[in-house]
Amino acid sequence: MCAGLVAGGTSLTGCSSEDPDAGTNGVGKLTATKIQSKSSSAAEAASAVRLSGTVVSKNHTYSLDMQVKDEGGTGTVTSKGQTFQLLRVGEQLYLKADSEFWTHKKGQGDGKGAQGDEAAAAKLDGKYVKVPEGDPAYEQLSGFTDKKLLLDGMLTLHGELAKGDRGSTGSVPSIKITGDDGAGGTLTVSLDGKPYPLRLDRGGDAGTLKLTDWGKDFKVAEPDKTELVDYGKQLPTS
């Protein structure tokens, strides 16, 4: 009836309610399961993304600020008060940190040993150190630079999915989906443009991540030889 009145040149205020999905990408109309599926597909298809925030794993808290894409990744990780930079170009991983990061067994052993550790560490200060693929550190650290691995591991919600509140993330309209009412995590999905994940609150207080710069390219390149140290098959150990 309202449509007929408008078509006939007459409009009545209040004939139609405001559509919350007007001007959006429409995923807000979908079920929580379909929203998660659409969001995962958009994330997988994106050429690049930046992840920043905290991740708690095995009782360790990691602070991340990483840019990742299929060809590699770069950024910083902080753990146990130590900050280091990671760079992956193809399959090759590099780690850069200050001398304190490389100093082993601080305060232990005799004076000569401590001085030797400090001298060796000083040579690595601010240098990119090549991480051999066979070194245990490679498996532990390369995941922070792997787009697929990061997203697959981070964007999974656990338990029964449900739609949460609509709102905005910065200036972007968004909608939340939850696993087990938030106990299994909460994912905030963009309602503008492609349904990219914008924020993840991991279940069990396991950290919060912001996901930005979707599709924004960045450069990954091999370090200059003057900045590089290669120990061969194994990183220096204590």
Side-chain angles (χ1 to χ4, degrees):
M1 179 176 175
C2 284
L5 289 172
V6 172
T10 304
S11 63
L12 296 179
T13 302
C15 273
S16 62
S17 59
E18 183 179 352
D19 181 1
D21 294 297
T24 74
N25 56 23
V27 298
K29 299 178 181 179
L30 305 178
T31 64
T33 300
K34 289 185 177 180
I35 293 174
Q36 184 184 44
S37 177
K38 291 275 189 182
S39 183
S40 295
S41 295
E44 182 179 352
S47 59
V49 63
R50 182 174 185 171
L51 300 96
S52 57
T54 58
V55 173
V56 180
S57 177
K58 297 180 181 179
N59 297 321
H60 290 160
T61 299
Y62 300 91
S63 296
L64 311 180
D65 188 358
M66 297 295 305
Q67 291 177 284
V68 291
K69 59 181 179 179
D70 291 339
E71 298 83 359
T74 184
T76 60
V77 178
T78 300
S79 177
K80 297 180 180 179
Q82 297 286 336
T83 298
F84 52 92
Q85 183 173 343
L86 294 175
L87 169 66
R88 182 174 62 84
V89 184
E91 296 301 315
Q92 186 55 62
L93 180 67
Y94 304 92
L95 187 156
K96 183 165 74 169
D98 61 19
S99 59
E100 185 178 355
F101 177 89
W102 296 106
T103 303
H104 299 281
K105 295 184 177 181
K106 292 188 289 290
Q108 299 181 22
D110 57 28
K112 292 183 179 179
Q115 291 175 5
D117 283 344
E118 291 176 1
K123 295 179 181 180
L124 301 179
D125 186 61
K127 297 282 189 179
Y128 281 101
V129 177
K130 188 175 182 180
V131 183
E133 291 189 40
D135 194 280
Y138 186 93
E139 182 177 356
Q140 179 186 3
L141 299 176
S142 62
F144 289 122
T145 66
D146 188 317
K147 174 177 174 282
K148 178 174 173 51
L149 189 62
L150 268 178
L151 295 182
D152 286 350
M154 299 296 182
L155 299 183
T156 300
L157 300 178
H158 302 282
E160 184 177 354
L161 299 183
K163 290 166 67 171
D165 297 332
R166 293 171 183 259
S168 61
T169 303
S171 60
V172 180
S174 57
I175 188 169
K176 294 181 179 179
I177 53 175
T178 62
D180 277 348
D181 294 324
T186 300
L187 185 66
T188 304
V189 178
S190 174
L191 290 175
D192 181 51
K194 294 183 180 180
Y196 289 129
L198 301 177
R199 176 186 170 104
L200 173 66
D201 295 281
R202 304 182 75 206
D205 295 324
T208 298
L209 286 171
K210 294 191 298 181
L211 299 100
T212 58
D213 294 345
W214 286 102
K216 184 177 180 180
D217 196 19
F218 60 95
K219 183 179 180 180
V220 288
E222 299 281 347
D224 187 271
K225 291 183 179 180
T226 61
E227 301 179 283
L228 180 61
V229 178
D230 186 351
Y231 275 91
K233 295 184 178 180
Q234 189 174 7
L235 288 178
T237 58
S238 56

Short mmCIF file of all heavy atoms in Angstrom, two decimals, residues 156-207:
data_model
loop_
_atom_site.label_atom_id
_atom_site.label_comp_id
_atom_site.label_asym_id
_atom_site.label_seq_id
_atom_site.Cartn_x
_atom_site.Cartn_y
_atom_site.Cartn_z
N THR A 156 39.62 -18.30 13.67
CA THR A 156 38.69 -19.38 14.00
C THR A 156 37.98 -19.08 15.31
O THR A 156 38.62 -18.82 16.33
CB THR A 156 39.44 -20.72 14.12
OG1 THR A 156 40.09 -21.00 12.87
CG2 THR A 156 38.48 -21.84 14.45
N LEU A 157 36.64 -19.11 15.27
CA LEU A 157 35.85 -18.99 16.48
C LEU A 157 35.43 -20.39 16.92
O LEU A 157 35.21 -21.28 16.10
CB LEU A 157 34.60 -18.14 16.22
CG LEU A 157 34.84 -16.70 15.77
CD1 LEU A 157 33.51 -16.00 15.51
CD2 LEU A 157 35.65 -15.92 16.80
N HIS A 158 35.31 -20.57 18.21
CA HIS A 158 34.99 -21.89 18.75
C HIS A 158 33.59 -21.89 19.39
O HIS A 158 33.19 -20.91 20.01
CB HIS A 158 36.03 -22.30 19.79
CG HIS A 158 37.43 -22.33 19.23
ND1 HIS A 158 37.91 -23.35 18.45
CD2 HIS A 158 38.46 -21.43 19.34
CE1 HIS A 158 39.16 -23.10 18.09
NE2 HIS A 158 39.52 -21.94 18.63
N GLY A 159 32.90 -22.99 19.22
CA GLY A 159 31.57 -23.11 19.80
C GLY A 159 30.48 -22.66 18.84
O GLY A 159 30.72 -22.41 17.66
N GLU A 160 29.28 -22.55 19.36
CA GLU A 160 28.12 -22.17 18.54
C GLU A 160 28.22 -20.70 18.15
O GLU A 160 28.41 -19.82 18.99
CB GLU A 160 26.83 -22.41 19.32
CG GLU A 160 25.57 -22.14 18.51
CD GLU A 160 24.31 -22.47 19.28
OE1 GLU A 160 24.42 -23.02 20.40
OE2 GLU A 160 23.21 -22.17 18.76
N LEU A 161 28.06 -20.43 16.86
CA LEU A 161 28.17 -19.06 16.36
C LEU A 161 26.85 -18.31 16.48
O LEU A 161 25.78 -18.88 16.33
CB LEU A 161 28.60 -19.07 14.89
CG LEU A 161 29.96 -19.70 14.56
CD1 LEU A 161 30.25 -19.56 13.07
CD2 LEU A 161 31.07 -19.07 15.38
N ALA A 162 26.96 -17.01 16.75
CA ALA A 162 25.77 -16.15 16.84
C ALA A 162 26.13 -14.75 16.38
O ALA A 162 27.29 -14.33 16.49
CB ALA A 162 25.24 -16.12 18.28
N LYS A 163 25.14 -14.05 15.86
CA LYS A 163 25.35 -12.65 15.47
C LYS A 163 25.29 -11.77 16.70
O LYS A 163 24.44 -11.94 17.57
CB LYS A 163 24.27 -12.22 14.47
CG LYS A 163 24.43 -12.86 13.10
CD LYS A 163 23.20 -12.71 12.24
CE LYS A 163 22.93 -11.27 11.85
NZ LYS A 163 21.84 -11.18 10.84
N GLY A 164 26.22 -10.82 16.75
CA GLY A 164 26.26 -9.88 17.85
C GLY A 164 25.79 -8.51 17.43
O GLY A 164 24.99 -8.35 16.50
N ASP A 165 26.30 -7.50 18.09
CA ASP A 165 25.86 -6.13 17.86
C ASP A 165 26.44 -5.55 16.59
O ASP A 165 27.54 -5.89 16.16
CB ASP A 165 26.28 -5.25 19.05
CG ASP A 165 25.62 -5.67 20.34
OD1 ASP A 165 24.50 -6.23 20.28
OD2 ASP A 165 26.23 -5.45 21.41
N ARG A 166 25.69 -4.63 16.01
CA ARG A 166 26.22 -3.78 14.95
C ARG A 166 26.84 -2.56 15.61
O ARG A 166 26.48 -2.18 16.71
CB ARG A 166 25.10 -3.32 14.01
CG ARG A 166 24.46 -4.43 13.19
CD ARG A 166 23.23 -3.90 12.47
NE ARG A 166 22.54 -4.94 11.72
CZ ARG A 166 22.64 -5.10 10.41
NH1 ARG A 166 23.40 -4.28 9.71
NH2 ARG A 166 21.99 -6.07 9.80
N GLY A 167 27.77 -1.97 14.90
CA GLY A 167 28.41 -0.77 15.42
C GLY A 167 29.35 -0.23 14.38
O GLY A 167 29.09 -0.30 13.18
N SER A 168 30.46 0.29 14.83
CA SER A 168 31.48 0.79 13.90
C SER A 168 32.85 0.52 14.49
O SER A 168 33.04 0.53 15.70
CB SER A 168 31.30 2.28 13.63
OG SER A 168 31.43 3.02 14.83
N THR A 169 33.79 0.24 13.60
CA THR A 169 35.18 0.06 13.97
C THR A 169 35.93 1.21 13.32
O THR A 169 36.15 1.22 12.11
CB THR A 169 35.70 -1.30 13.48
OG1 THR A 169 34.87 -2.33 14.02
CG2 THR A 169 37.14 -1.51 13.92
N GLY A 170 36.30 2.18 14.13
CA GLY A 170 36.77 3.44 13.56
C GLY A 170 35.60 4.09 12.85
O GLY A 170 34.54 4.30 13.43
N SER A 171 35.76 4.37 11.57
CA SER A 171 34.68 4.97 10.79
C SER A 171 33.94 3.94 9.94
O SER A 171 33.06 4.29 9.16
CB SER A 171 35.24 6.06 9.87
OG SER A 171 36.20 5.51 8.98
N VAL A 172 34.29 2.65 10.11
CA VAL A 172 33.74 1.60 9.26
C VAL A 172 32.57 0.90 9.98
O VAL A 172 32.75 0.39 11.09
CB VAL A 172 34.82 0.56 8.91
CG1 VAL A 172 34.23 -0.54 8.03
CG2 VAL A 172 35.99 1.23 8.21
N PRO A 173 31.38 0.87 9.36
CA PRO A 173 30.28 0.12 9.96
C PRO A 173 30.62 -1.36 10.03
O PRO A 173 31.25 -1.90 9.11
CB PRO A 173 29.10 0.39 9.02
CG PRO A 173 29.72 0.77 7.72
CD PRO A 173 30.99 1.47 8.06
N SER A 174 30.24 -2.02 11.10
CA SER A 174 30.66 -3.41 11.29
C SER A 174 29.62 -4.18 12.08
O SER A 174 28.70 -3.61 12.67
CB SER A 174 32.01 -3.45 12.00
OG SER A 174 31.94 -2.78 13.26
N ILE A 175 29.79 -5.49 12.08
CA ILE A 175 28.93 -6.38 12.86
C ILE A 175 29.80 -7.42 13.53
O ILE A 175 30.84 -7.82 12.98
CB ILE A 175 27.86 -7.05 11.96
CG1 ILE A 175 26.84 -7.82 12.83
CG2 ILE A 175 28.48 -7.96 10.91
CD1 ILE A 175 25.62 -8.28 12.06
N LYS A 176 29.39 -7.86 14.70
CA LYS A 176 30.15 -8.86 15.44
C LYS A 176 29.49 -10.23 15.30
O LYS A 176 28.27 -10.35 15.24
CB LYS A 176 30.24 -8.49 16.92
CG LYS A 176 31.05 -7.24 17.19
CD LYS A 176 31.12 -6.95 18.69
CE LYS A 176 31.96 -5.69 18.97
NZ LYS A 176 32.02 -5.39 20.41
N ILE A 177 30.34 -11.26 15.25
CA ILE A 177 29.85 -12.62 15.41
C ILE A 177 30.65 -13.24 16.55
O ILE A 177 31.83 -12.95 16.73
CB ILE A 177 29.99 -13.45 14.12
CG1 ILE A 177 31.41 -13.42 13.56
CG2 ILE A 177 29.02 -12.97 13.06
CD1 ILE A 177 31.60 -14.34 12.37
N THR A 178 29.98 -14.08 17.32
CA THR A 178 30.61 -14.63 18.52
C THR A 178 30.56 -16.15 18.49
O THR A 178 29.71 -16.76 17.86
CB THR A 178 29.90 -14.15 19.79
OG1 THR A 178 28.54 -14.61 19.78
CG2 THR A 178 29.91 -12.63 19.89
N GLY A 179 31.50 -16.76 19.19
CA GLY A 179 31.48 -18.18 19.45
C GLY A 179 31.18 -18.41 20.91
O GLY A 179 31.85 -17.85 21.77
N ASP A 180 30.13 -19.19 21.19
CA ASP A 180 29.71 -19.44 22.58
C ASP A 180 29.57 -18.15 23.37
O ASP A 180 30.15 -17.98 24.45
CB ASP A 180 30.69 -20.39 23.28
CG ASP A 180 30.40 -21.85 22.98
OD1 ASP A 180 29.32 -22.14 22.42
OD2 ASP A 180 31.23 -22.70 23.30
N ASP A 181 28.84 -17.20 22.80
CA ASP A 181 28.57 -15.91 23.46
C ASP A 181 29.84 -15.16 23.83
O ASP A 181 29.86 -14.41 24.82
CB ASP A 181 27.70 -16.10 24.71
CG ASP A 181 26.30 -16.60 24.37
OD1 ASP A 181 25.77 -16.19 23.33
OD2 ASP A 181 25.75 -17.42 25.14
N GLY A 182 30.88 -15.35 23.07
CA GLY A 182 32.13 -14.63 23.30
C GLY A 182 33.21 -15.47 23.96
O GLY A 182 34.39 -15.15 23.87
N ALA A 183 32.80 -16.56 24.65
CA ALA A 183 33.79 -17.41 25.30
C ALA A 183 34.70 -18.08 24.28
O ALA A 183 35.85 -18.40 24.56
CB ALA A 183 33.10 -18.47 26.16
N GLY A 184 34.16 -18.28 23.06
CA GLY A 184 34.94 -18.88 22.00
C GLY A 184 35.52 -17.87 21.03
O GLY A 184 36.02 -18.23 19.96
N GLY A 185 35.46 -16.59 21.41
CA GLY A 185 36.02 -15.53 20.58
C GLY A 185 34.95 -14.66 19.96
O GLY A 185 33.78 -15.05 19.83
N THR A 186 35.34 -13.45 19.59
CA THR A 186 34.44 -12.50 18.92
C THR A 186 35.17 -11.91 17.72
O THR A 186 36.28 -11.41 17.84
CB THR A 186 34.03 -11.36 19.87
OG1 THR A 186 33.33 -11.92 21.00
CG2 THR A 186 33.10 -10.38 19.15
N LEU A 187 34.52 -11.98 16.57
CA LEU A 187 35.08 -11.46 15.33
C LEU A 187 34.24 -10.29 14.85
O LEU A 187 33.01 -10.40 14.75
CB LEU A 187 35.12 -12.55 14.25
CG LEU A 187 35.80 -12.20 12.93
CD1 LEU A 187 37.30 -11.97 13.15
CD2 LEU A 187 35.58 -13.32 11.91
N THR A 188 34.88 -9.17 14.57
CA THR A 188 34.19 -8.00 14.04
C THR A 188 34.45 -7.92 12.54
O THR A 188 35.59 -7.95 12.09
CB THR A 188 34.71 -6.72 14.72
OG1 THR A 188 34.55 -6.85 16.14
CG2 THR A 188 33.93 -5.50 14.26
N VAL A 189 33.36 -7.83 11.77
CA VAL A 189 33.43 -7.92 10.32
C VAL A 189 32.91 -6.62 9.69
O VAL A 189 31.90 -6.06 10.14
CB VAL A 189 32.59 -9.11 9.81
CG1 VAL A 189 32.61 -9.18 8.29
CG2 VAL A 189 33.12 -10.41 10.41
N SER A 190 33.59 -6.17 8.66
CA SER A 190 33.21 -4.93 7.98
C SER A 190 31.88 -5.08 7.25
O SER A 190 31.62 -6.09 6.58
CB SER A 190 34.30 -4.53 6.98
OG SER A 190 33.89 -3.41 6.22
N LEU A 191 31.04 -4.06 7.36
CA LEU A 191 29.80 -3.98 6.60
C LEU A 191 29.95 -3.02 5.42
O LEU A 191 28.98 -2.73 4.73
CB LEU A 191 28.65 -3.51 7.50
CG LEU A 191 28.17 -4.50 8.56
CD1 LEU A 191 27.11 -3.86 9.45
CD2 LEU A 191 27.64 -5.77 7.91
N ASP A 192 31.17 -2.56 5.20
CA ASP A 192 31.45 -1.63 4.11
C ASP A 192 32.42 -2.28 3.14
O ASP A 192 33.48 -2.75 3.54
CB ASP A 192 32.04 -0.33 4.67
CG ASP A 192 32.33 0.68 3.56
OD1 ASP A 192 31.42 0.94 2.75
OD2 ASP A 192 33.45 1.19 3.51
N GLY A 193 32.08 -2.31 1.87
CA GLY A 193 32.96 -2.93 0.89
C GLY A 193 33.04 -4.43 1.11
O GLY A 193 32.06 -5.09 1.42
N LYS A 194 34.23 -4.96 0.98
CA LYS A 194 34.40 -6.40 1.20
C LYS A 194 34.30 -6.71 2.69
O LYS A 194 34.74 -5.91 3.53
CB LYS A 194 35.75 -6.85 0.63
CG LYS A 194 35.82 -6.72 -0.89
CD LYS A 194 37.14 -7.24 -1.44
CE LYS A 194 37.17 -7.10 -2.96
NZ LYS A 194 38.44 -7.58 -3.54
N PRO A 195 33.74 -7.87 3.04
CA PRO A 195 33.51 -8.19 4.47
C PRO A 195 34.78 -8.67 5.17
O PRO A 195 34.84 -9.79 5.69
CB PRO A 195 32.45 -9.29 4.39
CG PRO A 195 32.72 -9.98 3.10
CD PRO A 195 33.16 -8.89 2.14
N TYR A 196 35.77 -7.79 5.21
CA TYR A 196 37.03 -8.17 5.84
C TYR A 196 36.88 -8.25 7.36
O TYR A 196 36.13 -7.47 7.96
CB TYR A 196 38.12 -7.14 5.53
CG TYR A 196 38.60 -7.13 4.11
CD1 TYR A 196 38.66 -5.95 3.37
CD2 TYR A 196 39.05 -8.30 3.50
CE1 TYR A 196 39.13 -5.93 2.07
CE2 TYR A 196 39.52 -8.29 2.20
CZ TYR A 196 39.56 -7.11 1.48
OH TYR A 196 40.03 -7.10 0.19
N PRO A 197 37.62 -9.16 8.01
CA PRO A 197 37.70 -9.12 9.47
C PRO A 197 38.44 -7.85 9.89
O PRO A 197 39.46 -7.50 9.30
CB PRO A 197 38.54 -10.37 9.80
CG PRO A 197 38.53 -11.21 8.57
CD PRO A 197 38.39 -10.27 7.43
N LEU A 198 37.92 -7.17 10.90
CA LEU A 198 38.53 -5.93 11.37
C LEU A 198 39.17 -6.07 12.75
O LEU A 198 40.10 -5.35 13.07
CB LEU A 198 37.48 -4.82 11.42
CG LEU A 198 36.77 -4.48 10.10
CD1 LEU A 198 35.72 -3.41 10.34
CD2 LEU A 198 37.78 -4.03 9.05
N ARG A 199 38.64 -6.99 13.53
CA ARG A 199 39.14 -7.15 14.90
C ARG A 199 38.79 -8.56 15.38
O ARG A 199 37.70 -9.07 15.09
CB ARG A 199 38.51 -6.10 15.82
CG ARG A 199 38.89 -6.22 17.30
CD ARG A 199 38.10 -5.24 18.14
NE ARG A 199 38.26 -5.48 19.57
CZ ARG A 199 39.01 -4.77 20.39
NH1 ARG A 199 39.68 -3.72 19.92
NH2 ARG A 199 39.10 -5.06 21.66
N LEU A 200 39.70 -9.14 16.11
CA LEU A 200 39.45 -10.44 16.73
C LEU A 200 39.76 -10.36 18.21
O LEU A 200 40.88 -10.00 18.60
CB LEU A 200 40.31 -11.53 16.09
CG LEU A 200 40.24 -12.89 16.77
CD1 LEU A 200 38.85 -13.50 16.62
CD2 LEU A 200 41.30 -13.84 16.23
N ASP A 201 38.77 -10.67 19.03
CA ASP A 201 38.98 -10.84 20.46
C ASP A 201 38.98 -12.34 20.71
O ASP A 201 37.92 -12.99 20.63
CB ASP A 201 37.87 -10.15 21.25
CG ASP A 201 37.89 -8.64 21.08
OD1 ASP A 201 38.72 -7.99 21.71
OD2 ASP A 201 37.08 -8.12 20.28
N ARG A 202 40.14 -12.88 20.98
CA ARG A 202 40.27 -14.33 21.11
C ARG A 202 39.64 -14.82 22.41
O ARG A 202 39.66 -14.14 23.44
CB ARG A 202 41.74 -14.75 21.04
CG ARG A 202 42.44 -14.29 19.77
CD ARG A 202 43.87 -14.77 19.73
NE ARG A 202 43.95 -16.19 19.43
CZ ARG A 202 44.96 -16.98 19.81
NH1 ARG A 202 45.94 -16.47 20.56
NH2 ARG A 202 44.98 -18.25 19.48
N GLY A 203 39.06 -16.01 22.34
CA GLY A 203 38.43 -16.58 23.52
C GLY A 203 39.43 -16.87 24.62
O GLY A 203 40.63 -17.06 24.37
N GLY A 204 38.94 -16.90 25.85
CA GLY A 204 39.80 -17.20 26.98
C GLY A 204 40.84 -16.15 27.26
O GLY A 204 41.93 -16.47 27.77
N ASP A 205 40.53 -14.89 26.93
CA ASP A 205 41.49 -13.79 27.14
C ASP A 205 42.84 -14.09 26.50
O ASP A 205 43.91 -13.81 27.06
CB ASP A 205 41.67 -13.52 28.64
CG ASP A 205 40.41 -13.00 29.30
OD1 ASP A 205 39.68 -12.24 28.66
OD2 ASP A 205 40.13 -13.40 30.46
N ALA A 206 42.79 -14.68 25.30
CA ALA A 206 44.02 -15.08 24.62
C ALA A 206 44.52 -14.02 23.66
O ALA A 206 45.30 -14.31 22.75
CB ALA A 206 43.81 -16.40 23.89
N GLY A 207 44.08 -12.77 23.85
CA GLY A 207 44.62 -11.68 23.06
C GLY A 207 43.60 -11.01 22.16
O GLY A 207 42.49 -11.52 21.95
#
